[in-house]
Structures are given as C-alpha cells and as structure tokens.
Amino acid sequence: SAVISQKPSRDICQRGTSLTIQCQVDSQVTMMFWYRQQPGQSLTLIATANQGSEATYESGFVIDKFPISRPNLTFSTLTVSNLSPEDSSIYLCSVGTASSGTEAFFGQGTRLTVV
Amino acid sequence: SQQGEEDPQALSIQEGENATMNCSYKTSINNLQWYRQNSGRGLVHLILIRSNEREKHSGRLRVTLDTSKKSSSLLITASRAADTASYFCATDHFSGNTPLVFGKGTRLSVIA
C-alpha cells in the first residue's frame, strides 16, 4: 500500500497567480498521476509524472499551464499557472503499485477556488 | 479520457434499502475498480474485480463484471446514512503503473 500526503488541502487564489500542489508518498514509486476534478464531475487525468523525465500530458493539458516536477521517487509537485476561475477544481495525485492489477492510492485532494 | 458511463447519475434511497450502481466501458480492460469519494475529498478504494472474474464480494458490497457487455455493477446492501458519497468505477487497461480511467460517477444519498 501507499500513503500520500497532499497539500495544501484547499486554497483560494487570485486570478493570474499560481498555485503549487505537493504530494509526498511514503514509498518509492515509478509513476505518479495528477488528476483534475471539476465541480460535480469525474476525474480527468492531467499528466503522468515519471522520475527523471518530462511529464506526459493528456490532450487538452499543456506544460506551460500545468508544470510538473518529479525530483525523486517519493515526491511530485503540480503547479496550476495563470489562474482563472475555470481552474477552480479539486486536484488529486495518485500512485499505482508496481504489481499488476492492484488498486491505486490517492492523496486527499486540493480544493482550489480562483476568485 | 473518460470512457466509463455510470448510471444513475444520482440515487436517493432510504436507509436499509439496497443501492445498485452500473458502469459501462468501451475498450478491453485488465481490471475494473470501484472507488468512493466523500464530499469531494480523496478517493477510497472499495473493490477490484479482474477481467477473468464475474463476481466479487466484500462485506456489504457486491460487484459483478460482464466483459461481453463491457459493464459492471456495484450493489451496496442494507445501506446506511454513512454510505452517502459519490461512487466511481475506474478501468485499468494495462498491468501496473498506468493511470485509471474514471467513469462519471453516481452520487448516492442515503436518507435516515
């Protein structure tokens, strides 16, 4: 299993600013995943963060808007840049396990409100 | 991208009743998982069913999987007010270290 500490749990930010979200895992993992959950919606994958290489972004998400760092096997950050009210969402980090077909583990989420 | 469709989108039942939620997906899977989310917080894993399994139980939860119809159902028996949450199915298409693809979710309200 894996325990993920995600922070901040919530924040209210002014438009045009940026917010950096951190996730710390209690074990080494190869890949970390960042999701966005817009109000009342399901989770949409933003990107996959691999240690030692650039993150892989899903369609509709770009590095300039959502830069990701992955400095080691237990830590990652997601920055949401140049905030607009449309960025108001819950952002979640997740890890799988190295074994085939096992559950994923999630941080507690960061609820971002842009005003 | 999302490929799961869940129905109903919202379900309201009385405490003690059973709640059934359905999930459909589009492409072949390695396994299908169900998650619960309270009040927009982190997701909690409930149960995983592999593509070669048809039914699985865990406490008051029963999950079925029909790969020919590309569908799954989650049954919560004898529901409690504390079961009020959003429930998501998620499909895993490869083995390990790959992101899950989530369905749209069912918002369950259990009225005491």
Side-chain angles (χ1 to χ4, degrees), chain B residues 10-71:
Chain B
L11 179 62
S12 183
I13 60 173
Q14 296 289 325
E15 205 166 30
E17 294 180 340
N18 296 342
T20 299
M21 290 160 268
N22 303 296
C23 167
S24 62
Y25 57 93
K26 297 176 184 174
T27 58
S28 61
I29 60 172
N30 182 50
N31 64 64
L32 185 144
Q33 307 179 27
W34 285 89
Y35 287 82
R36 167 192 168 125
Q37 185 181 39
N38 288 4
S39 302
R41 301 297 291 169
L43 275 72
V44 175
H45 179 263
L46 295 176
I47 197 165
L48 179 153
I49 187 165
R50 302 185 193 283
S51 60
N52 61 352
E53 297 176 314
R54 292 297 167 258
E55 187 171 312
K56 205 160 184 181
H57 297 255
S58 176
R60 293 186 295 115
L61 305 180
R62 172 178 171 256
V63 168
T64 63
L65 178 65
D66 187 335
T67 52
S68 66
K69 295 181 179 178
K70 292 186 171 59
S71 67

